[in-house]
């Protein structure tokens, strides 16, 4: 079991109201990702759930029981941080076994659990090594192993992959998703990485200044952002926002169109612009163009689209993919 409910949870540090009031329901077995700009309160919210910080107000319910006043060790949750915090002098086996030894579990049981965790995480060959003899990805797996053996009702991850290089991140991202499918344990995962959020989450929670802007599946947020903030935050490169006459024609204060929904042509189209920067990624080309009467617009094309700074291009937004927002920034 691992359902978590936050009811009017708030947190104040001195004068600063970091989390004004949050209500959130996390179902048993869900993979929930918290995203938002730096300083918006993601880690604080995770630490409140873990019990590493006391709430200033509200209630935290875990598996139907009020856990607001419970110590971290009594909440049945396991937290994995960006820095793995392994004991350097202990073998991998002893690092993973540590929480079980502390809990006074008998040796045969500990061995069984450590071996199970090592199998799930492909750490079997490394059990006798010290952390310094492991790669970053292997170390992070050991830290996850130490969390797994406790059989928590939920895992809390705070940017666990941000110290890894790009290739390892991709591997670990897939491994954590597989781990979730295997264990079916609730996971709450904080990340800055768009791709991690979109690919791993059942449900994304977009935070801004300690408030929830929107909760939904990755594609719900991508297709139907509720406001300008979510529209600009989900999706990379970010959505183009256009004000003025073009928006007024569609009875909106602002219209938004994602770069992948703007058709590029060297010959003809709705808007004429001059390329200021062309980014050729191989698989895709991103063009930043200064469009007459509109301003800067980013458009995505396939990797074969040959264009350079200074070229004239024509852009045509896909009318069916235009987002409209009112004066208050709410989607209409
Ligand atoms: N112990 C503390 N005392 C005072 N202020 C704090 C404390 N911990 C966090 N804050 C403040 O609370 C706000 C939220 O911090 P938090 O670490 O939760 O942000 P975050 O979303 O995790 O950011 P990042 O993406 O950079 O990790 C920040 O303004 C931070 O300075
Ligand atoms: Mg943080």
């Amino acid at each position: 079991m691992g359902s978590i409910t936050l009811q009017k949870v708030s947190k104040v540090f001195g004068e600063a109201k970091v989390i004004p009031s949050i209500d959130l329901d996390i179902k048993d077995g869900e993979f929930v990702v918290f995203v938002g700009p730096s300083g918006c309160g993601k880690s604080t919210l995770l630490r409140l759930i873990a019990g590493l910080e006391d709430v200033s107000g509200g209630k935290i319910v875990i598996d139907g029981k009020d856990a607001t006043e419970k110590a971290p060790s009594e909440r049945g949750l396991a937290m994995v941080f960006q820095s793995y915090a392994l004991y350097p002098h202990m073998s991998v086996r002893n690092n993973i076994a540590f929480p079980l030894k502390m809990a006074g579990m008998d040796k045969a049981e500990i061995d069984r659990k450590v071996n199970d965790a090592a199998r799930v995480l492909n750490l079997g060959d490394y059990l006798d090594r010290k952390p310094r003899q492991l790669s970053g990805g292997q170390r992070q797996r050991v830290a996850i192993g130490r969390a797994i053996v406790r059989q928590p009702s939920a895992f809390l991850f705070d940017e666990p992959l941000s110290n890894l290089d790009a290739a390892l991140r991709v591997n670990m991202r897939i491994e954590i998703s597989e781990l979730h499918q295997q264990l079916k344990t609730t996971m709450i995962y904080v990340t800055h990485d768009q791709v991690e959020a979109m690919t791993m989450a059942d449900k994304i929670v977009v935070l801004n200044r300690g408030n929830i802007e929107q909760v939904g599946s990755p594609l719900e947020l991508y297709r139907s952002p509720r406001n300008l903030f979510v529209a600009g935050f989900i999706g990379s490169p970010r959505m183009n926002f256009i004000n003025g006459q073009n928006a007024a024609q569609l009875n909106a204060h602002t219209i938004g169109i994602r770069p992948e929904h703007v058709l590029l042509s060297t010959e003809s189209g709705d808007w004429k612009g001059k390329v200021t920067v062309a980014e050729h990624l191989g698989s895709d080309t991103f063009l930043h163009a200064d469009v007459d009467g509109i301003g800067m617009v980013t458009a995505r094309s396939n990797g074969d689209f040959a264009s350079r700074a200074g070229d004239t291009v024509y852009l045509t937004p896909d009318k069916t993919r235009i987002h409209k927002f009112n004066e208050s920034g709410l989607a209409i």
Side-chain angles (χ1 to χ4, degrees):
M1 285 291 285
S3 67
I4 299 170
T5 304
L6 308 184
Q7 295 171 358
K8 296 194 168 50
V9 166
S10 63
K11 182 64 184 177
V12 181
F13 286 117
E15 302 271 283
K17 205 164 205 181
V18 171
I19 297 191
S21 178
I22 278 192
D23 288 288
L24 181 66
D25 256 322
I26 296 172
K27 295 196 194 74
D28 182 32
E30 241 177 351
F31 198 123
V32 176
V33 172
F34 291 171
V35 295
S38 187
C40 72
K42 304 179 294 294
S43 297
T44 303
L45 195 56
L46 212 58
R47 292 170 61 79
L48 290 171
I49 295 171
L52 300 173
E53 296 280 356
D54 292 330
V55 300
S56 305
K59 215 162 131 178
I60 296 175
V61 179
I62 301 176
D63 286 337
K65 295 192 197 81
D66 188 347
T68 320
E69 303 294 327
K70 282 190 183 168
S73 59
E74 295 168 2
R75 298 191 186 198
L77 310 175
M79 190 139 168
V80 179
F81 299 92
Q82 175 180 348
S83 56
Y84 334 115
L86 301 177
Y87 299 104
H89 58 285
M90 283 186 201
S91 65
V92 166
R93 180 185 300 283
N94 287 333
N95 263 288
I96 297 178
F98 189 76
L100 305 181
K101 283 185 182 161
M102 292 301 283
M105 191 178 280
D106 74 64
K107 187 164 178 322
E109 181 74 2
I110 292 178
D111 280 349
R112 194 180 58 75
K113 291 200 167 202
V114 171
N115 290 333
D116 279 353
R119 188 169 35 76
V120 169
L121 293 164
N122 286 323
L123 283 170
D125 293 341
Y126 308 106
L127 283 172
D128 297 319
R129 291 202 197 172
K130 297 277 166 57
R132 70 182 139 76
Q133 298 167 307
L134 301 175
S135 73
Q138 289 161 345
R139 280 181 219 173
Q140 189 56 291
R141 290 212 294 265
V142 177
I144 295 171
R146 197 166 54 186
I148 288 181
V149 290
R150 294 172 48 203
Q151 292 179 304
S153 56
F155 291 93
L156 312 180
F157 292 99
D158 196 354
E159 307 204 40
L161 308 185
S162 48
N163 281 344
L164 306 180
D165 69 40
L168 256 181
R169 277 186 88 116
V170 174
N171 286 344
M172 283 300 294
R173 183 178 92 211
I174 294 167
E175 283 184 26
I176 293 177
S177 290
E178 283 174 357
L179 187 69
H180 179 247
Q181 283 164 25
Q182 222 173 318
L183 301 177
K184 298 186 169 58
T185 307
T186 310
M187 293 189 174
I188 309 178
Y189 190 101
V190 171
T191 183
H192 270 106
D193 188 305
Q194 284 275 336
V195 180
E196 280 173 26
M198 293 302 284
T199 59
M200 299 171 97
D202 294 317
K203 188 154 102 181
I204 297 180
V205 178
V206 182
L207 291 161
N208 181 25
R209 297 165 187 258
N211 294 305
I212 294 180
E213 294 280 353
Q214 192 169 357
V215 178
S217 73
L219 289 180
E220 274 165 13
L221 299 194
Y222 176 84
R223 289 183 183 142
S224 313
R226 187 200 279 166
N227 56 33
L228 279 174
F229 183 86
V230 177
F233 197 81
I234 299 286
S236 175
R238 87 197 271 274
M239 189 185 283
N240 296 293
F241 293 120
I242 299 163
N243 295 313
Q245 208 186 332
N246 280 276
Q249 277 168 5
L250 295 171
N251 299 317
H253 183 265
T254 305
I255 54 172
I257 182 85
R258 296 193 184 280
E260 55 272 39
H261 300 144
V262 179
L263 185 72
L264 278 168
S265 162
T266 52
E267 279 147 28
S268 62
D270 288 4
W271 301 335
K272 185 179 174 192
K274 188 172 257 192
V275 176
T276 57
V277 177
E279 298 177 297
H280 297 283
L281 301 182
S283 55
D284 306 279
T285 299
F286 293 114
L287 289 190
H288 305 276
D290 196 355
V291 175
D292 299 350
I294 291 182
M296 290 305 299
V297 173
T298 301
R300 174 189 161 273
S301 185
N302 63 44
D304 302 325
F305 193 87
S307 189
R308 301 190 224 178
D311 286 357
T312 295
V313 284
Y314 295 89
L315 304 89
T316 307
D318 177 345
K319 310 273 181 308
T320 65
R321 303 283 205 147
I322 287 178
H323 300 260
K324 300 198 264 179
F325 303 92
N326 67 15
E327 257 176 10
S328 320
L330 294 175
I332 46 176

